[in-house]
């Protein structure tokens, strides 16, 4: 399970005397604003650590002035590889082979009814590359022939309709960035620390630009009866009988859509190719993959995946049903469990925040287990029901530090501590754990998953 790359791979110890001779001057002359000033002074304070790229793109000349031109690497002298004559689909660098989605051994009995987690610790920005999108299958995934796939609208409509994928792709399209989070994300941490890395604690979330047709457009084409029709049932074409009730008000608002596109290309088979339902802000299970049918009805359907599964057991022994919205949540992705800081000094604390109720308004970060908080920078774009990236400057003094993030959304909802969440929800739930995550940076630099009281 030790697939984590130490983040210190990006930092290098400068050669002796380097800061005073060359490096710091270069940075100083470029110092135009407070941020650069901050970085300069913190590197000076930290003593000897400076990202190599800030000062040099080539190795510095040696003492006798040798500019190293005779030591050019092979890739600067020989011909590189050409484009492929029969076309190609680009692949990540071979040096990034460790960046993979991974399953958690022992979590599920079969690989068909299982989960693979996205490597959040290795991702930048807010978009999840399609090949690293988390997977949750109830009965395996399929690569369905789009020319044979059909999508039906029936129930409380004037004229039930069957669409081909081509017919859907001719209709007015929308493209939107949204996160999808499995309701069971962070489930194993309800009672205590259970897994070592952010990939396993929070990796059942991904964010993509999806493209498709508003479900309302398709319902209107079938002559939906909005007087009677207050809910729809969404059904997938795999063997899991994945069916979920969705309230009509989410559909009339125009938010729900039937997607065929993901990050500029067709959906990946693992994500429901050729059609999947996008239900922004709502837990992943309602984003039905291999979507083949929408039935309009006048009450909730109480299917197996909402009556007995995907319910929240409360401390009093009763269970909540139809708790679909993914509440405001955030997590620091670097530094995070399994990573190693090799030296004290400057680090960029970074992470992700999201809310199923709209935009993220603010993220605060603590490095002392929640006693003091500083407000992080939110990187643009900040979009409704999409992942939001945050960053914060930090100088590690080499002493143990507990790093946390706390998000607030535009409704004013504040992400709870474990203490607050457990006071309401107990510890026996599976779904909707949005508690504040803590990472302990130990004196050795090793980062560990911990929970603070
Ligand atoms: N048809 C179908 N749709 C499905 C599922 C499934 O097993 N079959 N799993 C659901 C669950 S529980 C989740 S969390 C998401 C996962 O989507 P992903 O595999 O694209 O990450 O799809 C949902 N839609
Ligand atoms: Mo899920």
């Amino acid at each position: 399970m030790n697939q984590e790359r130490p983040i210190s791979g990006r930092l290098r110890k400068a050669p002796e005397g380097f800061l005073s001779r060359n490096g710091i001057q270069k940075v100083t002359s470029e110092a135009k604003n407070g941020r650069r000033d901050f970085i300069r002074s913190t590197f000076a304070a930290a003593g000897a650590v400076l990202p190599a790229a800030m000062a040099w793109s080539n190795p510095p000349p040696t003492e006798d002035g040798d500019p190293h031109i005779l030591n050019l690497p092979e890739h600067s002298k020989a011909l590189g590889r050409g484009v492929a004559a029969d076309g190609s689909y680009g692949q990540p660098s071979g040096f990034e082979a460790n960046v993979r989605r991974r399953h958690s051994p022992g979590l599920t009995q079969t690989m068909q009814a299982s989960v693979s987690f996205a490597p959040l610790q290795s991702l930048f920005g807010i978009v999840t590359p399609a090949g690293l999108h988390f997977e949750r299958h109830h009965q395996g995934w399929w690569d369905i022939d789009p020319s044979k796939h059909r999508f039906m609208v029936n129930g409380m409509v004037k004229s039930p309709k069957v669409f081909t994928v081509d017919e859907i792709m001719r209709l007015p399209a929308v493209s939107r960035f949204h996160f999808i989070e499995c309701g069971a994300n962070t489930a194993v941490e309800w009672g205590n620390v259970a897994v070592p890395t952010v990939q396993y604690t929070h990796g059942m979330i991904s964010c993509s630009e999806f493209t498709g047709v508003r479900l309302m457009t398709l319902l209107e084409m079938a002559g939906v009866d909005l007087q009677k029709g207050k809910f729809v049932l969404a059904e997938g074409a795999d063997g899991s009988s994945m069916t979920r009730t969705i309230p009509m008000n989410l559909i009339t608002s125009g938010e729900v859509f039937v997607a065929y596109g993901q990050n500029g290309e067709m959906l990946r088979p693992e994500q429901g190719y050729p059609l999947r339902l996008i239900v922004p802000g709502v837990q992943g299970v309602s984003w039905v993959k291999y979507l083949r049918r929408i039935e309009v009805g006048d009450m909730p359907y109480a299917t197996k995946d909402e009556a007995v599964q995907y319910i929240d057991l409360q401390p009093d022994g009763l269970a909540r049903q139809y708790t679909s919205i993914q509440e405001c949540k955030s997590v620091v992705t670097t530094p995070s469990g399994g990573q190693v800081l090799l030296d004290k000094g400057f680090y960029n604390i970074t992470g992700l925040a999201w809310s199923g109720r709209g935009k993220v308004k603010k993220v605060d970060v603590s490095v002392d287990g929640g006693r003091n908080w500083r407000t992080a920078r939110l990187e643009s774009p900040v979009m409704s029901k999409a992942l939001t990236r945050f960053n914060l400057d930090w100088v590690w003094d080499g002493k143990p530090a507990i790093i946390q993030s706390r998000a607030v959304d535009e409704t004013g909802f504040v992400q709870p501590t474990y203490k607050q969440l457990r006071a309401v929800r107990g510890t026996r739930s599976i779904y909707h754990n949005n508690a504040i995550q803590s990472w302990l940076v130990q004196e050795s630099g090793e980062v560990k998953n911990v929970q603070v009281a």
Side-chain angles (χ1 to χ4, degrees):
M1 218 189 257
N2 190 20
Q3 76 283 7
E4 311 309 332
R5 174 176 55 191
I7 62 169
S8 48
R10 296 188 198 288
L11 297 182
R12 200 160 306 146
K13 206 166 181 134
E16 201 94 73
F18 181 67
L19 277 181
S20 53
R21 200 180 58 202
N22 284 312
I24 199 72
Q25 271 94 337
K26 181 114 196 256
V27 176
T28 310
S29 66
E30 283 171 8
K32 295 218 166 63
N33 55 39
R35 185 167 151 63
R36 275 203 187 279
D37 281 345
F38 173 80
I39 290 175
R40 183 197 57 203
S41 56
T42 55
F43 281 126
V49 183
L50 184 74
M54 279 183 74
W56 295 99
S57 52
N58 283 312
T62 56
E63 288 300 325
D64 57 7
D66 175 5
H68 296 289
I69 44 171
L70 299 178
N71 296 333
L72 287 176
E74 196 54 24
H75 55 73
S76 299
K77 295 187 293 195
L79 255 185
R81 284 170 273 195
V83 299
D86 54 354
S88 63
Y89 193 104
Q91 298 298 315
S93 160
F95 298 101
E96 299 297 323
N98 250 355
V99 180
R100 311 171 77 84
R101 49 190 178 201
R102 293 177 190 273
H103 84 284
S104 183
L107 185 66
T108 55
Q109 289 180 357
T110 72
M111 296 302 249
Q112 282 84 14
S114 196
V115 181
S116 75
F117 299 83
L120 300 184
Q121 70 283 1
S122 305
L123 303 182
F124 314 111
I126 59 169
V127 171
T128 312
L132 296 174
H133 194 290
F134 85 95
E135 298 167 273
R136 172 72 179 103
H137 314 300
H138 289 239
Q139 190 140 341
W141 61 273
W142 295 92
D143 194 3
I144 294 176
D145 181 347
S147 71
K148 302 213 172 82
H149 189 73
R150 295 293 181 271
F151 170 66
M152 178 162 83
V153 177
N154 71 343
M156 293 175 167
V157 297
K158 252 195 221 91
S159 45
K161 268 203 152 14
V162 175
F163 296 86
T164 65
V165 176
D166 281 343
E167 283 166 348
I168 287 179
M169 292 178 72
R170 286 176 58 178
L171 297 173
V174 292
S175 290
R176 304 256 176 80
F177 288 86
H178 287 301
F179 74 81
I180 166 173
E181 182 183 22
C182 177
N185 201 17
T186 325
V188 294
E189 300 272 312
W190 266 108
N192 46 266
V193 166
V195 285
T197 68
V198 70
Q199 181 157 12
Y200 292 116
T201 58
H202 289 76
M204 279 204 273
I205 189 160
S206 293
C207 183
S208 305
E209 185 195 36
F210 292 102
T211 296
V213 177
R214 282 196 182 89
L215 181 55
M216 200 53 205
T217 305
L218 301 163
L219 293 190
E220 277 167 355
M221 288 172 77
V224 62
D225 181 348
L226 288 178
Q227 297 305 88
K228 289 203 208 120
K230 295 296 174 209
F231 297 90
V232 307
L233 180 78
E235 180 184 77
D238 54 335
S240 67
S241 302
M242 175 52 66
T243 40
R244 290 282 304 184
T245 301
I246 294 152
M248 189 61 90
N249 63 325
L250 289 185
I251 297 159
T252 50
S253 77
E255 272 193 273
V256 175
F257 61 103
V258 176
Y260 44 81
Q262 180 187 347
N263 295 338
E265 59 185 357
M266 289 297 284
L267 288 166
R268 289 293 170 88
E270 297 95 314
Q271 269 62 60
Y273 180 88
L275 295 177
R276 109 171 287 173
L277 198 62
I278 306 298
V279 196
V282 169
Q283 61 182 343
V285 66
S286 294
W287 296 45
V288 174
K289 303 190 274 191
Y290 321 106
L291 184 70
R292 73 164 168 210
R293 192 167 71 93
I294 292 282
E295 182 182 309
V296 179
D298 56 3
M299 54 178 163
Y301 284 79
T303 70
K304 70 169 167 56
D305 286 307
E306 52 202 19
V308 291
Q309 304 293 332
Y310 297 92
I311 55 173
D312 303 327
L313 185 58
Q314 301 297 291
D316 62 5
L318 297 175
R320 305 192 304 184
Q321 289 179 319
Y322 297 103
T323 49
S324 294
I325 305 289
Q326 295 300 106
E327 299 290 357
C328 188
K329 183 168 172 181
S330 69
V331 67
V332 169
T333 54
T334 290
S336 64
Q339 296 181 325
V340 184
L341 313 191
L342 289 190
D343 212 338
K344 58 189 175 185
F346 182 84
Y347 288 93
N348 180 54
I349 296 179
T350 190
L352 295 163
W354 61 96
S355 166
R357 297 200 187 267
K359 289 184 183 172
V360 170
K361 196 170 74 188
K362 186 161 100 107
V363 178
D364 292 322
V365 170
S366 173
V367 294
D368 59 7
R371 275 192 289 278
N372 298 287
W373 297 88
R374 279 196 293 150
T375 300
R377 298 190 311 277
L378 302 186
E379 299 304 327
S380 58
V382 176
M383 293 179 284
S384 182
K385 303 174 189 179
L387 289 186
T388 297
R389 171 65 62 175
F390 64 87
N391 287 303
L392 186 73
D393 299 334
W394 180 48
V395 180
W396 183 41
D397 60 9
K399 302 210 181 82
I402 294 177
I403 302 189
Q404 305 178 324
S405 65
R406 178 182 66 193
V408 183
D409 71 14
E410 61 181 337
T411 72
F413 182 100
V414 182
Q415 184 182 2
T417 62
Y418 264 107
K419 198 172 170 195
Q420 292 167 328
L421 189 64
R422 284 174 181 150
V424 182
R425 301 275 312 277
T427 56
R428 292 189 294 157
S429 272
I430 297 171
Y431 304 103
H432 305 117
N433 176 356
N434 66 330
I436 290 171
Q437 168 72 40
S438 305
W439 304 115
L440 169 65
V441 180
Q442 298 166 286
E443 246 165 309
S444 64
E446 289 164 74
V447 188
K448 226 174 98 176
N449 183 8
V450 295
Q451 293 187 0
V452 297

